[in-house]
Amino acid sequence: MNRLLVALLSLIDAVLAAAIGLAIALAPLTALWAFGLGGSADWGTLWPASATIWQLGHLVPVAVTLPDAYLAATGIDRSAGAFVLSLAPTVFALFTAVFAARSGARASRADAWITGVASSTVVFAVLAALVAVTGGNAVAATETWQAILFPTLFFAVPALVGAIVIEWREAGAGVVARLRDRAEAVAGGWGELPALAARGTAIVVAGFVGIGALAVAVAVVVGGAQVVSLLEAGHMDVVGVTVTALGQLAFLPTLIVWAAAFLAGPGFALGTATSVSPVGTQLGVIPGIPVLGAVPQLDSPWFLLTALLPVALGALAGWAVRSRLVAHADAAPAPASVAPWATPSLEGLIGAPPEARTAAQDEPGDRFGVRVALMAVIAVLSGAAAALLAQLTSGSLGPGRLAEVGAAPGPVALAVGLEVFVGAAILLLSPRRRSRRSTSDDVRSTSDDDRSASDDGRSWWRRDRGEDERADAAPARVDADDRVGAATRASVWDGRMGGDAAPAGVGAASRGEQGRGRSVAVEDSDAAGTTPADETAPAPEDTAPLPPFVPRERGEGESAPRRPSPLPPVD
């Protein structure tokens, strides 16, 4: 796609992301102005309020300074008239991040992700600057550089991540594709580490948010009576109830992260020297926000069992990444055998050489070091992601004791990291179970490979053992599935089929040629016990030496091809 067209489409994405976010903040205020105030107030004052809410939603701290007249009318202490509001309604930041990630992914699929991400980020920064300049007011003030930088980061980082993810997964050329190919070329399974670690971390983070959302739903249902009581205590009309409900929905992502931190163990705070955790609840005076009525009042140690949920998430991530790791290892081509004669029967008698034992110990399906690294990386990244979510959903909700609200990033990161580490270790470090069918297939494949081996391996063994050329008289090794055919061939070689003498065409040389690749070795006619009449008997016309057998390449999942038997059918 033309880079100019990609830049224009990315520009539209940035404009829509900013406009829709501002509209979400402006719509409830407009409804309040129209139905609650009757349109008597100046509508122009709604724009600064909407801009401030949008900036607060992108984690821009707001310095609130209440007028003296308002403080005197309400009886609020002057010391509480100025405070910093930093607890963000994170639904705005979430909307911007999702919109930006989709825009970056589309630019990557258009093969112009750098152009798309750069152009959309510049446009969004310009719009954030415009909002910061035109949306200032005396009551709720923001730092201009923060009002420009923070919203821009919430757009630029997800757009860049979305583009890089698509480039890593789908691109055939480019910087990210070359880096991916170079990483995947690392032997021993280490090339799969980045993708599998990202997959496992994504599973843990998605599950962390999911269990938090489920906990919020359960808490609202259980504490519904208290929520309704607080709502009725506000004596609000329909417009007030609607605006309050929308405001609480804007903090829904924040509540989900708090609930997830509660399930992980550390919990969260609703003010200085307060705590809400499975160990117990210690609260003082809290704001009369209806949704806070769902905060549980706990005094039972059984709630500590909720810490098993992050452990289960770690186990799920470990199972997912190990399944892919084993699938990739099984799909990889098997290493070449160091000696084609190295069958289980001979190895049990004479032992395998050091090269064969080393190859067996380095089986691709094992990859213990890769699994240990995956376990550690997933745990660290999951803890870091939990700490980031806790940091984004904590801040100040008002003056005094309300200056500390939310989950502490440090304890949350430590708890989630350790719990995920334990869960991932259960699945990633457990021994691999192999089904009976796969074991049977391996034995059958080994037998087929033994039959298709060349004489080079046998001659090497003879030289190593000091045997002479009469080692060709070693007992034949046959597969269990081919006993009848092996017995038939042995009887023909010995000249006992149907009581007739063996054809002269089936001599020692021809038998050695025909038996090559099937590991069937027989003595010559004298050692086999044939008579002089057998040696001088005329050879049948249909008996002729066969050309050497050259095995073809095997496809994936295909067993070794069987060589057609040169023997005539047996009546």
Side-chain angles (χ1 to χ4, degrees):
M1 187 181 292
N2 193 318
R3 294 183 180 275
L4 179 60
L5 182 58
V6 172
L8 291 176
L9 293 176
S10 301
L11 183 150
I12 295 174
D13 289 340
V15 172
L16 289 177
I20 294 176
L22 290 169
I24 292 175
L26 185 60
L29 296 180
T30 303
L32 179 63
W33 171 80
F35 299 103
L37 302 178
S40 58
D42 183 12
W43 187 86
T45 58
L46 298 182
W47 168 248
S50 302
T52 302
I53 293 174
W54 183 79
Q55 293 167 347
L56 178 63
H58 291 86
L59 274 71
V60 179
V62 177
V64 179
T65 304
L66 300 178
D68 293 337
Y70 179 80
L71 295 176
T74 56
I76 299 177
D77 188 6
R78 288 183 177 273
S79 61
F83 57 90
V84 175
L85 182 63
S86 59
L87 185 64
T90 46
V91 71
F92 294 96
L94 178 63
F95 174 81
T96 301
V98 171
F99 212 97
R102 290 172 57 88
S103 177
R106 284 194 294 266
S108 175
R109 291 191 175 98
D111 295 331
W113 66 276
I114 297 179
T115 301
V117 172
S119 59
S120 59
T121 300
V122 170
V123 172
F124 195 89
V126 171
L127 295 176
L130 184 62
V131 172
V133 171
T134 60
N137 61 84
V139 177
T142 59
E143 294 288 342
T144 303
W145 69 271
Q146 293 178 344
I148 298 174
L149 178 61
F150 289 2
T152 303
L153 288 178
F154 273 99
F155 187 92
V157 174
L160 183 62
V161 171
I164 291 178
V165 168
I166 298 301
E167 284 287 307
W168 185 279
R169 294 173 57 185
E170 302 178 6
V175 177
V176 179
R178 289 195 297 270
L179 181 62
R180 176 202 60 203
D181 295 339
R182 184 172 300 179
E184 292 178 350
V186 179
W190 293 100
E192 304 164 11
L193 180 63
L196 292 179
R199 178 180 294 272
T201 305
I203 292 174
V204 173
V205 173
F208 186 74
V209 175
I211 62 176
L214 181 62
V216 169
V218 172
V220 170
V221 171
V222 173
Q226 186 68 17
V227 172
V228 173
S229 299
L230 290 175
L231 189 62
E232 292 176 347
H235 301 289
M236 294 177 287
D237 55 6
V238 176
V239 177
V241 171
T242 303
V243 172
T244 302
L246 293 176
Q248 293 177 137
L249 286 177
F251 284 90
L252 181 60
T254 302
L255 299 177
I256 290 175
V257 175
W258 289 359
F262 172 86
L263 296 177
F268 58 95
L270 288 176
T272 304
T274 63
S275 175
V276 180
S277 68
V279 178
T281 302
Q282 299 178 357
L283 292 176
V285 179
I286 61 176
I289 302 174
V291 72
L292 295 182
V295 174
Q297 302 290 333
L298 305 177
D299 55 1
S300 174
W302 288 102
F303 281 95
L304 290 174
L305 294 177
T306 58
L308 295 177
L309 293 175
V311 175
L313 293 177
L316 178 61
W319 171 79
V321 299
R322 181 164 184 177
S323 299
R324 281 189 166 266
L325 187 65
V326 171
H328 292 168
D330 292 342
S337 177
V338 294
W341 54 267
T343 61
S345 57
L346 284 181
E347 286 182 5
L349 294 174
I350 64 176
E355 297 84 357
R357 291 192 294 269
T358 304
Q361 293 170 358
D362 295 338
E363 181 186 356
D366 185 28
R367 300 183 177 182
F368 181 79
V370 179
R371 287 184 278 142
V372 172
L374 272 174
M375 179 180 62
V377 172
I378 291 175
V380 171
L381 292 180
S382 300
L388 178 62
L389 292 176
Q391 180 64 39
L392 296 178
T393 56
S394 60
S396 173
L397 190 58
R401 298 177 65 251
L402 295 179
E404 298 179 6
V405 176
V412 171
L414 182 61
V416 172
L418 290 177
E419 291 160 358
V420 170
F421 184 85
V422 172
I426 295 174
L427 269 295
L428 283 173
L429 299 185
S430 60
R432 179 185 177 189
R433 285 188 61 184
R434 303 186 65 183
S435 63
R436 296 180 61 185
R437 174 176 297 181
S438 63
T439 305
S440 176
D441 293 342
D442 291 344
V443 173
R444 185 182 300 274
S445 175
T446 302
S447 301
D448 293 340
D449 291 340
D450 293 341
R451 290 195 300 270
S452 63
S454 64
D455 281 347
D456 295 339
R458 296 201 307 274
S459 61
W460 179 90
W461 175 67
R462 289 196 297 268
R463 290 194 303 269
D464 185 66
R465 300 286 295 177
E467 300 286 343
D468 55 11
E469 292 301 326
R470 295 190 60 84
D472 290 336
R477 294 179 289 117
V478 296
D479 185 31
D481 294 339
D482 206 16
R483 290 197 187 100
V484 177
T488 305
R489 290 192 296 274
S491 62
V492 171
W493 303 145
D494 292 340
R496 291 191 293 271
M497 176 173 285
D500 299 331
V506 191
S510 63
R511 288 197 300 273
E513 279 296 320
Q514 294 174 5
R516 184 170 300 171
R518 299 297 298 270
S519 299
V520 178
V522 297
E523 298 180 358
D524 55 15
S525 58
D526 294 336
T530 56
T531 61
D534 296 333
E535 296 177 359
T536 58
E541 296 181 358
D542 58 348
T543 303
L546 294 177
F549 173 66
V550 180
R552 64 179 177 85
E553 295 276 344
R554 279 186 290 170
E556 184 177 354
E558 182 181 357
S559 61
R562 293 179 179 268
R563 179 182 178 185
S565 175
L567 304 178
V570 180
D571 295 334

